[in-house]
Amino acid sequence: MALKNEPKTPHHPAQDALRVLETVARHTTGVTNADLTRETGLGRERLTTLLRMLRREGYVEQIADGAYVTGDALTRLASAHHHEEALRDQLQQTLDRLRDTVGAAVYLSRYVDGEFTVTQYADGPATPAVNEWVDFRSCAHATAAGKSLLGQLDHNGRRDHLSRHKMARLTSRTITSDKLLLSRLESQPPTAPVLDLQEYAVGTVCAAVPITAGSTAGCLALSLPVEHAHRLRQAADTLNRSATQVLLSLAI
């Protein structure tokens, strides 16, 4: 299934973070802030923000003299042994932190072999996951995550998906016209979160942002009870800014 040519994504910070990680990894005995600034070409404020995030995620550590070295999380992910298990654990820790940051259940979804799949999620007593009352795989047209993934495909990819999955009406707000859905996907700004305002389930609102890594479309999504709908836009913006952490794990 083809992705759009040169997909636009707002998460360029992942490239900067990878540059910092690669620089730290080259200096096995540690590298200072000054050296990192010079070698990466990043401004001091930008570098400080990235280092804070990389330390929080366990990718770098600061040793006694203030220099930075690679952290345990990077070592685990870089190892050929148990990579998939280490990646899943790292992503789960990141999702758990994002759940607490945005105050909502969060989900990681991928588009693999022509199907929409929720691969991991983080919820809790105060942030319940949406009730999957109809299989997500058949409801890409009605969910924020599904529409985000479809939006990353080319036109033929979208039409192929819709030809295999009937656009069932799940609520009074569900779009069931393929022409209308395709038009909305085409006009969706690449940097704006995709929303689901009770289209999949009455009582639930959702938002999703793209995290395309390599040739596989992916997205981060969140769900909120409709009584918290006033928080949706702000929560989606926070999720958007935090997506770098997930992209980074997928890129290592």
Side-chain angles (χ1 to χ4, degrees):
M1 202 64 61
L3 297 182
K4 287 181 179 179
N5 291 332
E6 297 183 1
K8 298 176 182 177
T9 172
H11 307 305
H12 301 307
Q15 297 169 3
D16 292 341
L18 278 173
R19 198 185 323 166
V20 174
L21 269 183
E22 289 165 357
T23 305
V24 173
R26 284 200 305 270
H27 295 265
T28 55
T29 58
V31 58
T32 65
N33 258 304
D35 287 338
L36 279 171
T37 300
R38 185 180 68 255
E39 294 185 33
T40 62
L42 297 170
R44 183 177 299 178
E45 185 176 343
R46 180 83 188 112
L47 181 62
T48 298
T49 299
L50 288 171
L51 285 170
R52 186 182 302 120
M53 183 269 288
L54 291 170
R55 289 179 66 187
R56 185 174 63 244
E57 296 293 315
Y59 292 128
V60 302
E61 296 173 5
Q62 199 166 18
I63 53 180
D65 62 359
Y68 290 93
V69 296
T70 54
D72 289 342
L74 182 62
T75 302
R76 287 195 302 271
L77 284 178
S79 171
H81 300 293
H82 310 300
H83 173 76
E84 290 302 318
E85 181 182 348
L87 175 59
R88 188 170 184 83
D89 289 346
Q90 182 70 22
L91 287 171
Q92 192 61 51
Q93 291 175 31
T94 300
L95 292 176
D96 288 345
R97 281 193 287 270
L98 286 177
R99 172 201 61 206
D100 296 340
T101 299
V102 301
V106 294
Y107 312 78
L108 176 61
S109 300
R110 312 296 296 278
Y111 195 81
V112 182
D113 297 331
E115 298 297 341
F116 157 37
T117 304
V118 177
T119 56
Q120 285 179 251
Y121 68 95
D123 64 350
T127 53
V130 64
N131 174 35
E132 188 178 355
W133 73 286
V134 179
D135 192 329
F136 286 142
R137 290 174 297 181
S138 64
C139 300
H141 67 290
T143 64
K147 287 185 286 184
S148 177
L149 295 174
L150 291 177
Q152 296 172 60
L153 305 181
D154 61 18
H155 185 74
N156 289 336
R158 295 170 188 165
R159 281 207 167 277
D160 172 75
H161 182 92
L162 296 178
S163 72
R164 292 182 289 108
H165 295 283
K166 176 178 170 58
M167 295 175 61
R169 184 178 299 281
L170 305 181
T171 76
S172 63
R173 294 173 176 264
T174 307
I175 297 173
T176 56
S177 161
D178 59 349
K179 183 177 180 180
L180 177 57
L181 179 64
L182 290 169
S183 173
R184 291 197 178 177
L185 291 174
E186 194 63 39
S187 61
Q188 171 74 20
T191 57
V194 179
L195 303 181
D196 155 21
L197 304 177
Q198 301 189 86
E199 294 173 53
Y200 173 76
V202 174
T204 301
V205 295
C206 305
V209 297
I211 53 165
T212 302
S215 60
T216 303
C219 74
L220 266 180
L222 65 86
S223 66
L224 288 167
V226 70
E227 55 266 30
H228 292 281
H230 61 282
R231 293 203 295 115
L232 183 63
R233 181 66 66 176
Q234 183 178 2
D237 289 342
T238 301
L239 193 72
N240 209 357
R241 290 193 300 271
S242 304
T244 298
Q245 299 158 33
V246 175
L247 259 181
L248 193 56
S249 295
L250 295 173
I252 293 173

